[in-house]
Amino acid sequence: GTMIASLDSAEKTASANAVVLDSADIFDRSRCTMHGMKDFKNIRIDDVLLYAAAMIIKSGGPLRESFEQVVDGRQDLLVYEDKLGIAARIHNQKVLLGNRNLLVHHNIEVPEKALEERYSHSGRKVMYLAVAGKIAALFVVSYAVDKNLEGYFKMLESNGIQILVRTNDVNVTEELIAESFGMPQQNF
């Protein structure tokens, strides 16, 4: 969605060694999906969905459209904890959405690793939702990159330009992006 409109602009950008993109712009958001969830029966199921949807919508990213159908406009301030997930206060309760390390970091008891492994297949990833110190749900999600970008990314790679991706989604990692585009991880 970017255009260099003049020779002067082209000369100024010729020395660039990186581009910055939002993770939502490199995924085909219509194909990023929530496949299901496991309810831990610690809070009401409608609250589980509202909390998760509010956090994902507010943080943006490739799963936004998938969760927007659940809730609209009920998000509070949130914080991204690098490579762990997102934390927020919703209805005066601490709400966490991320990987098992996020839960451990916040002293929340996690289930056996085998539970994650049961749902993590065929490229699917898991995210935990915890509310007020208890695991509420495990979401099973998948991501699909926009393959129309592959040629552009290969061109950037061949010109030595790094691709920096902003994300608030714990599953959107350098490894996931590189693997999805068939490129070396160090490009991202």
Side-chain angles (χ1 to χ4, degrees), residues 94-110:
K94 186 180 196 177
V95 182
L96 305 169
L97 182 67
N99 59 26
R100 75 184 296 107
N101 293 334
L102 177 67
L103 302 183
V104 169
H105 181 73
H106 286 270
N107 300 315
I108 296 173
E109 189 175 328
V110 294

Side-chain angles (χ1 to χ4, degrees), residues 7-182:
L7 181 59
D8 186 45
S9 296
E11 288 173 354
K12 286 180 182 176
T13 59
S15 62
N17 64 356
V19 295
V20 180
L21 300 169
D22 191 278
S23 63
D25 295 329
I26 64 171
F27 288 87
D28 181 347
R29 290 173 279 183
S30 67
R31 293 181 38 230
C32 293
T33 308
M34 178 178 69
H35 297 280
M37 61 174 264
K38 176 180 178 13
D39 181 12
F40 286 88
K41 312 275 190 247
N42 288 324
I43 65 171
R44 292 180 7 198
I45 192 69
D46 56 336
D47 285 341
V48 166
L49 293 171
L50 287 173
Y51 287 144
M55 293 177 77
I56 288 172
I57 291 167
K58 184 75 173 181
S59 68
L63 291 173
R64 182 178 180 146
E65 279 80 6
S66 183
F67 280 82
E68 268 182 331
Q69 299 164 9
V70 178
V71 65
D72 186 34
R74 295 179 63 175
Q75 316 89 298
D76 274 342
L77 181 65
L78 57 86
V79 175
Y80 178 69
E81 296 185 23
D82 195 34
K83 300 197 189 280
L84 297 176
I86 48 181
R89 285 210 106 26
I90 300 176
H91 300 305
N92 239 4
Q93 294 180 332
K94 186 180 196 177
V95 182
L96 305 169
L97 182 67
N99 59 26
R100 75 184 296 107
N101 293 334
L102 177 67
L103 302 183
V104 169
H105 181 73
H106 286 270
N107 300 315
I108 296 173
E109 189 175 328
V110 294
E112 295 292 322
K113 188 90 168 141
L115 177 68
E116 284 180 35
E117 292 167 358
R118 183 170 45 182
Y119 294 106
S120 299
H121 58 81
S122 307
R124 293 179 180 183
K125 309 281 184 191
V126 298
M127 292 188 308
Y128 288 99
L129 176 75
V131 179
K134 297 179 185 169
I135 297 177
L138 176 144
F139 291 94
V140 182
V141 297
S142 66
Y143 301 81
V145 294
D146 183 347
K147 286 295 190 175
N148 294 322
L149 297 175
E150 190 166 7
Y152 297 110
F153 283 2
K154 300 258 184 203
M155 190 182 329
L156 290 170
E157 175 188 24
S158 68
N159 286 295
I161 297 176
Q162 188 89 25
I163 303 164
L164 307 176
V165 180
R166 187 198 77 80
T167 185
N168 285 327
D169 187 323
V170 68
N171 290 322
V172 177
T173 62
E174 297 94 334
E175 181 181 15
L176 173 69
I177 298 167
E179 185 179 293
S180 297
F181 284 109

